[in-house]
């Protein structure tokens, strides 16, 4: 009977886990002794870092393009209960509940937008999922059909000035204008208000990078409200924590991510984001047959206290290690310790503007049009799997290039 490797989640970590597992099983000549199954909510790998963009075209990759050739089973559904002691997962599908057993499990169920307990939070939009981004686009199209008429229709409120918040804030005018042009409507002047609860926007960047961000926001006439947060959201606007009301029909939340709630089914230490602490092989210490990868995993990347972040540059490589180590563990082969000390951030700041920072102190390396070009190169080419399935399979081997050097 074949050994069952079950992967929960088809994002960057899950996708690369599946390919890496097949590659390594072939390397060990154990392909006929292994069955790889992946559970995902739909049949796509969503290129999540691009969901803020003007167009949603091309932001999903068909999983079955790769899986059918590689004999990876794809089950469309939602994992709801995991019993690691019984090695069992209950999933909900369109045709009802299913129970799946496994010999080895890779948890790569990702992250979700942090819940905010304020009145009217359901009135906000987000770009956390493809459906969320599509919902925002449909909403903007609805407003454009009415020429953005009505109180607050031309004002966009963005809550949170992390990387996603900055990208949404600097691109949302262009997105709305593109929709207007597509409908042959006249152009409109839009207002953008960026809300940040801390005293500074971009305080997590080095001083020179932070200065560039502030200069860019000012040049794009984006209003920044520091030291405040959302206190309530209605269909006609947002109330801030200092009592101010901003009339807006489009309030977008980008306030951060937390790990999938499926982490709660496992014993072991978790960080403040709900991520599972893993060892150098990505295993959970309390189990001999569970690996966590991607946004659900917290693994140190150096001896200075830095750990993996919820970002595709980590998830891709964590997935490659996860699939490799899961197969080796199943067949009694040595595991490969995870190693990735490089770190860069690429930020899109709208037309002609973007930046690349390097290192954990996020030093400004490139800015302006060159920074924008690098961002587009990374997100439209480097993070996509190769078109050729066999090439993608070869790319799943767990080794990491020097991202900082290659980026510049």
């Amino acid at each position: 009977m074949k050994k069952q490797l079950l992967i929960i989640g088809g994002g960057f970590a899950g996708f690369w886990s599946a390919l890496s597992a097949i590659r390594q099983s072939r390397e060990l000549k154990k392909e006929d002794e292994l069955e790889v199954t992946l559970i995902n909510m739909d049949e796509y790998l969503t290129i999540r870092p691009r969901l803020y963009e003007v167009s949603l075209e091309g932001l999903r990759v068909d999983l079955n393009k790769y899986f059918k050739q590689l004999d990876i089973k794809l089950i469309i559904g939602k994992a709801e209960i995991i019993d690691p002691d019984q090695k069992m997962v209950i999933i909900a599908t369109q045709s009802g509940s299913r129970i799946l057993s496994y010999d080895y499990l890779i948890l790569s169920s990702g992250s979700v937008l942090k819940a905010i307990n304020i009145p009217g939070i359901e009135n906000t939009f987000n770009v956390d999922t493809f459906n969320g981004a599509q919902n925002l686009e449909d909403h903007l199209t609805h407003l454009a059909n009415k020429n953005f008429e009505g109180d607050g229709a031309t004002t966009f409120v963005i809550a949170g000035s992390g990387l996603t918040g900055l990208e949404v804030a600097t691109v949302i005018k262009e997105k709305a204008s593109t929709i207007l042009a597509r409908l042959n409507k006249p152009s409109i002047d839009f207002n953008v208000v960026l809300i940040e609860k801390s005293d500074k926007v971009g305080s997590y960047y080095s001083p020179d990078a932070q200065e560039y961000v502030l200069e860019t926001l000012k040049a794009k006439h984006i209003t920044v409200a520091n030291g405040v947060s959302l206190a309530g959201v209605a269909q006609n606007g947002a109330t801030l924590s200092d009592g101010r009301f901003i009339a807006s029909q489009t309030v977008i939340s980008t306030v951060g991510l937390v790990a999938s709630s499926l982490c709660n089914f496992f014993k072991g230490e978790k960080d403040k984001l709900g991520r599972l602490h893993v060892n150098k092989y990505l295993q959970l210490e309390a189990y001999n047959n569970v690996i966590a990868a991607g946004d659900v995993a917290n693994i140190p990347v150096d001896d200075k206290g830095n750990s993996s972040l919820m970002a595709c540059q980590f998830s891709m490589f964590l997935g490659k290690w996860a699939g490799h180590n899961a197969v080796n563990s199943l067949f009694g082969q040595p595991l490969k310790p995870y190693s990735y000390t490089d770190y860069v951030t690429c930020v899109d700041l709208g037309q002609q503007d973007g930046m690349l920072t390097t290192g954990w102190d996020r030093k400004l390396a490139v800015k302006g049009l060159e920074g924008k070009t690098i961002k587009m190169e990374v997100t439209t080419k480097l993070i996509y799997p190769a078109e050729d399935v066999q090439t993608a399979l070869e790319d799943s081997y767990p080794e990491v290039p020097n991202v900082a050097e290659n980026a510049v």
Side-chain angles (χ1 to χ4, degrees), residues 88-140:
M88 179 186 73
V89 177
I90 299 177
I91 64 172
T93 70
Q94 282 190 335
S95 56
S97 294
R98 289 184 60 180
I99 298 177
L100 297 180
S101 298
Y102 61 83
D103 295 299
Y104 212 99
L105 177 70
I106 296 176
L107 182 69
S108 54
S109 47
S111 56
V112 295
L113 199 65
K114 188 185 300 181
I116 309 175
N117 186 23
I118 61 170
I121 190 63
E122 67 276 4
N123 294 312
T124 62
F125 296 88
N126 69 76
V127 294
D128 183 50
T129 64
F130 186 86
N131 288 340
Q134 185 66 65
N135 204 25
L136 172 61
E137 185 164 304
D138 292 344
H139 168 73
L140 293 176

Side-chain angles (χ1 to χ4, degrees), residues 276 278-282 297-301 306-308 318 338:
L276 293 157
V278 297
N279 65 20
K280 62 183 178 180
Y281 304 114
L282 309 187
N298 179 318
I299 184 168
V301 296
N306 295 308
S307 61
S308 59
L318 284 166
Y338 177 75

Side-chain angles (χ1 to χ4, degrees), residues 71-272:
D71 201 24
I72 298 168
K73 292 176 64 178
L74 174 63
I75 297 178
I76 307 301
K78 180 182 180 182
E80 295 190 321
I81 297 173
I82 303 173
D83 187 336
D85 295 324
Q86 298 296 320
K87 297 186 288 187
M88 179 186 73
V89 177
I90 299 177
I91 64 172
T93 70
Q94 282 190 335
S95 56
S97 294
R98 289 184 60 180
I99 298 177
L100 297 180
S101 298
Y102 61 83
D103 295 299
Y104 212 99
L105 177 70
I106 296 176
L107 182 69
S108 54
S109 47
S111 56
V112 295
L113 199 65
K114 188 185 300 181
I116 309 175
N117 186 23
I118 61 170
I121 190 63
E122 67 276 4
N123 294 312
T124 62
F125 296 88
N126 69 76
V127 294
D128 183 50
T129 64
F130 186 86
N131 288 340
Q134 185 66 65
N135 204 25
L136 172 61
E137 185 164 304
D138 292 344
H139 168 73
L140 293 176
T141 301
H142 174 72
L143 292 179
N145 276 314
K146 299 189 298 181
N147 298 308
F148 284 90
E149 294 176 351
D151 193 25
T154 59
T155 296
F156 308 126
V157 175
I158 318 299
S161 69
L163 189 148
T164 301
L166 290 176
E167 292 184 324
V168 171
T170 52
V171 169
I172 190 69
K173 289 183 186 181
E174 185 182 354
K175 188 177 184 74
S177 295
T178 299
I179 292 172
L180 278 172
R182 189 171 68 221
L183 297 173
N184 295 316
K185 300 279 189 177
S187 60
I188 291 173
D189 288 330
F190 295 104
N191 303 307
V192 177
V193 181
L194 181 61
I195 298 170
E196 172 51 51
K197 66 179 180 180
S198 68
D199 293 336
K200 293 181 179 179
V201 167
S203 58
Y204 41 88
Y205 286 114
S206 62
D208 53 350
Q210 185 180 159
E211 182 179 354
Y212 172 61
V213 168
L214 293 174
E215 288 174 355
T216 304
L217 293 175
K218 184 177 180 180
K220 295 182 185 299
H221 306 291
I222 295 170
T223 301
V224 176
N226 289 113
V228 292
S229 57
L230 285 180
V233 183
Q235 291 185 350
N236 65 339
T239 301
L240 307 187
S241 55
D242 62 1
R244 279 183 288 170
F245 179 80
I246 301 175
S248 172
Q249 295 184 30
T250 310
V251 180
I252 305 170
S253 176
T254 67
V255 294
L257 302 172
V258 292
S260 160
S261 61
L262 293 178
C263 292
N264 295 325
F265 286 104
F266 298 92
K267 303 171 188 174
E269 185 183 359
K270 300 177 182 67
D271 67 12
K272 63 181 181 180

